[in-house]
Amino acid sequence: MKILRNVLILVVCLGLVLAADEKQNSNDKKENASTEKPTEAPAKDDKKEPNALCSSCTCDAAKRTFNCSSMKLYKLFNMTEWSTLNSSGVATEIMLLVHNGISEIPVLPKFDVKVLDLSHNNISAIAKRAFIELDKLESLDLSYNLLTAKALKPEIFEGKFSSDEYEPMLAMKTLRLAYNQLHVLDSDLFEHFPNLETLSLEGNIFKVIDHQTEIALSSIHTLKSLDLSYMELLQLPEFIFKAPQDLAYLNLTGNLLTTVPEALRFTEKLKWLSLDENPLQDIDGQNVFPTIRTLEYLSMSYIHPLRVIGRGAFSKLENLKELHLCNNAQLTYLHGEAFSRPDADNPDRKDWPRLKQLYLHNNNLSVLESQLLARWDDMNLIDLRNNPWNCDCENQWIIEALLPIVEKATPAALNNIVCASPKQMAGQSMVDLERKHSVLRCKDKYGNNPANDGALLIGLLIGILAGIPLTAATILIYKRGCFGWGRRSPADYSRAFYSRTTNGDDF
């Protein structure tokens, strides 16, 4: 019994020991679990918390864009707020701050931004050296604000020191100042932009480019694109384009120019030119385009007073490839030699530009001369729609030769090519006439229609042929005296005047 009791005590002790070990193991696991948790924490720290600016605006890391437009900020962020954007590690090359009612631009912190858009705000003041830390800035848009000449000073655009240039913003290539309240420019406004290529002054009512504005524009020797549209300019200074030798794009739309500007003769590398919506008079005589050998695109549309494009109007534009001459309600005449010029090697021959696209729709043209261009078949777009075409022999070539070219190049441009005269053909489609192989009725230089005279001539010939035997018969009857038509003797004429007297007549 004593041995059995000792065995039982031993079993109980062994069980207590095992239970204690199990509890210890359980505690060790809990401790290990608790110690492992802190090792997972750094994984959460790897993802930085979103900064305040990216929470309220849009930070697109893939496009490297910070977009805080239409947020009604009314003023830009302070330095502390800007610093959160920098510390977030978000690479920002494009910064959009449009439609925010911002009235003032302070000095901005350092960013690697290349494009800064501050358009459509109420900006009327900009701090001196506002952009000095944006040394990678290539494009700045300040359009649609309240900037005046007094507020827009050269000091605004001062860059960092350079031994080669005067405090330059070396990367700056594009500056947009459209639709502000500018009437004049500081003559030194662009002195910190040694590499400026694109400038827009659209919508600022200058009316006249004065001397200091001319100096400012002439100082941009690297300028390639200039927008002077809708500035109500009456004329351009003659030498305004002499300094910027690389000017390729010039927009003069919506001004008050009445003649082709003389200043264009200095645009030796110009490729694109718009004179739309100017009250230009007839392009004829002395008022023609000067020599611009590089010009490829020209637009002269929506010009109400324009009536005549005369001889040699475009003859000095040797490389013209695209001409927009449309929506000119009064344009009635396009001279057949508007493009041609004497050949350089043989003055007795003519040369034409190799035009590829010609837009003549919505004018008042009635005749198009075939010699206007040399290679109609080499063109890829011809638009003749909505003109009051005269369907006579002068335009017969349009039906026979030109319409097939139009149909092949741009079938959509075949609509609304309609005859307006003569009356018997008014309203007929020239395309239908071409498909029916119809021959137009021709008018001569006096306005007569020889086709209408054909029946009259035939009738007259029949009348002559029928009249010959009738005349011969009349003569024969007359000679024979038939029906009292024959010859009478002298006695007959005497009796015709003789009257018998009565016995009571006195002698």
Side-chain angles (χ1 to χ4, degrees):
M1 291 293 295
K2 188 176 181 179
I3 295 172
L4 180 61
R5 186 178 59 183
N6 291 336
V7 171
L8 289 174
I9 291 170
L10 182 62
V11 170
V12 171
C13 291
L14 183 61
L16 291 173
V17 171
L18 291 174
D21 289 342
E22 186 176 353
K23 185 176 181 180
Q24 182 64 37
N25 290 336
S26 176
N27 291 336
D28 290 344
K29 288 181 180 178
K30 289 180 179 180
E31 289 178 5
N32 290 336
S34 63
T35 56
E36 287 174 359
K37 285 182 180 178
T39 60
E40 296 176 358
K44 290 185 177 180
D45 291 340
D46 289 343
K47 296 181 180 179
K48 295 183 180 181
E49 293 294 330
N51 64 76
L53 296 189
C54 288
S55 297
S56 57
C57 305
T58 301
C59 295
D60 191 331
K63 295 182 179 179
R64 298 176 177 268
T65 300
F66 173 72
N67 188 349
C68 206
S69 298
S70 302
M71 299 299 293
K72 303 301 180 186
L73 300 175
Y74 299 107
K75 65 177 182 179
L76 286 175
F77 309 108
N78 57 40
M79 287 296 182
T80 303
E81 291 170 323
W82 280 126
S83 64
T84 64
L85 182 61
N86 272 329
S87 63
S88 68
V90 177
T92 302
E93 293 185 355
I94 301 173
M95 190 173 288
L96 307 176
L97 296 161
V98 181
H99 288 292
N100 278 306
I102 299 167
S103 59
E104 185 177 355
I105 301 177
V107 177
L108 297 173
K110 183 174 179 57
F111 287 109
D112 291 336
V113 63
K114 294 182 179 180
V115 177
L116 176 59
D117 191 344
L118 288 159
S119 63
H120 297 275
N121 283 292
N122 297 320
I123 299 169
S124 59
I126 304 177
K128 181 180 177 181
R129 298 180 135 193
F131 311 103
I132 191 170
E133 296 295 336
L134 307 182
D135 49 15
K136 293 185 179 180
L137 187 62
E138 297 178 1
S139 176
L140 174 62
D141 195 341
L142 295 170
S143 301
Y144 294 93
N145 281 292
L146 304 175
L147 293 170
T148 62
K150 185 177 180 180
L152 202 63
K153 294 295 183 181
E155 295 81 10
I156 291 170
F157 304 113
E158 285 184 8
K160 294 181 179 179
F161 173 78
S162 171
S163 58
D164 299 323
E165 303 285 349
Y166 175 52
E167 298 175 335
M169 294 187 69
L170 291 171
M172 180 70 76
K173 293 184 178 180
T174 300
L175 178 62
R176 303 190 187 281
L177 299 170
Y179 291 98
N180 278 281
Q181 297 179 1
L182 301 171
H183 308 296
V184 65
L185 298 179
D186 189 295
S187 57
D188 298 322
L189 182 61
F190 307 112
E191 65 182 353
H192 299 290
F193 297 140
N195 299 309
L196 191 64
E197 296 180 355
T198 300
L199 174 65
S200 174
L201 294 171
E202 177 188 4
N204 290 284
I205 309 303
F206 276 61
K207 290 187 180 293
V208 175
I209 293 180
D210 65 2
H211 184 59
Q212 67 182 56
T213 302
E214 182 181 358
I215 292 174
L217 295 175
S218 299
S219 68
I220 315 174
H221 298 282
T222 55
L223 196 62
K224 294 181 179 180
S225 175
L226 179 60
D227 192 340
L228 300 178
S229 59
Y230 300 103
M231 294 173 62
E232 297 188 9
L233 298 175
L234 297 167
Q235 60 183 6
L236 294 177
E238 183 178 358
F239 300 104
I240 189 172
F241 303 129
K242 192 169 183 179
Q245 294 294 312
D246 294 325
L247 188 64
Y249 175 101
L250 179 60
N251 191 351
L252 295 172
T253 300
N255 284 298
L256 301 175
L257 305 173
T258 57
T259 59
V260 177
E262 277 286 318
L264 292 176
R265 64 193 178 98
F266 292 107
T267 55
E268 297 180 356
K269 295 184 180 180
L270 194 65
K271 291 184 176 182
W272 193 101
L273 173 64
S274 174
L275 287 165
D276 294 348
E277 300 177 52
N278 280 275
L280 293 170
Q281 304 299 321
D282 296 346
I283 311 300
D284 196 12
Q286 297 298 316
N287 184 34
V288 297
F289 282 86
T291 301
I292 313 177
R293 291 187 172 87
T294 55
L295 192 67
E296 297 180 357
Y297 175 101
L298 173 62
S299 185
M300 295 176 57
S301 302
Y302 299 96
I303 302 175
H304 183 73
L306 185 62
R307 297 174 183 272
V308 173
I309 302 294
R311 185 195 305 270
F314 310 118
S315 62
K316 297 177 183 178
L317 308 179
E318 299 177 9
N319 288 297
L320 192 63
K321 291 180 172 59
E322 184 173 342
L323 175 63
H324 292 250
L325 193 63
C326 47
N327 297 292
N328 301 307
Q330 304 297 320
L331 181 59
T332 57
Y333 183 62
L334 181 57
H335 198 284
E337 297 183 14
F339 293 94
S340 61
R341 63 186 180 278
D343 188 278
D345 299 325
N346 186 355
D348 294 332
R349 299 180 60 185
K350 292 182 179 179
D351 200 3
W352 289 262
R354 297 295 292 272
L355 210 64
K356 294 293 184 180
Q357 298 184 21
L358 178 61
Y359 297 81
L360 293 176
H361 56 276
N362 295 92
N363 291 308
N364 196 27
L365 297 171
S366 59
V367 175
L368 186 66
E369 299 187 32
S370 60
Q371 71 269 26
L372 181 69
L373 295 171
R375 292 295 305 274
W376 293 95
D377 60 326
D378 196 34
M379 299 180 66
N380 52 44
L381 192 149
I382 305 168
D383 195 342
L384 307 176
R385 296 173 298 162
N386 298 316
N387 281 282
W389 295 113
N390 186 12
C391 291
D392 61 10
C393 59
E394 287 183 278
N395 287 331
Q396 179 69 37
W397 78 277
I398 295 179
I399 292 178
E400 295 178 348
L402 191 55
L403 289 186
I405 296 174
V406 175
E407 185 173 13
K408 181 179 179 181
T410 47
L414 289 174
N415 299 324
N416 300 319
I417 305 178
V418 179
C419 302
S421 60
K423 290 183 179 180
Q424 61 268 31
M425 302 190 75
Q428 293 191 46
S429 169
M430 294 183 80
V431 177
D432 292 341
L433 296 176
E434 185 265 333
R435 289 170 180 168
K436 295 175 183 176
H437 302 287
S438 299
V439 178
L440 301 181
R441 299 175 181 273
C442 302
K443 287 185 178 181
D444 59 22
K445 64 180 180 179
Y446 302 106
N448 300 316
N449 195 330
N452 292 340
D453 295 340
L456 179 63
L457 293 173
I458 293 174
L460 183 60
L461 179 61
I462 293 174
I464 292 173
L465 294 175
I468 291 174
L470 183 60
T471 303
T474 302
I475 294 172
L476 182 61
I477 292 172
Y478 176 79
K479 287 183 177 182
R480 292 188 177 182
C482 298
F483 308 110
W485 292 358
R487 291 183 177 179
R488 294 186 180 184
S489 64
D492 294 329
Y493 287 103
S494 298
R495 285 192 290 270
F497 292 97
Y498 173 77
S499 175
R500 185 184 294 275
T501 60
T502 61
N503 292 331
D505 289 336
D506 295 330
F507 293 95

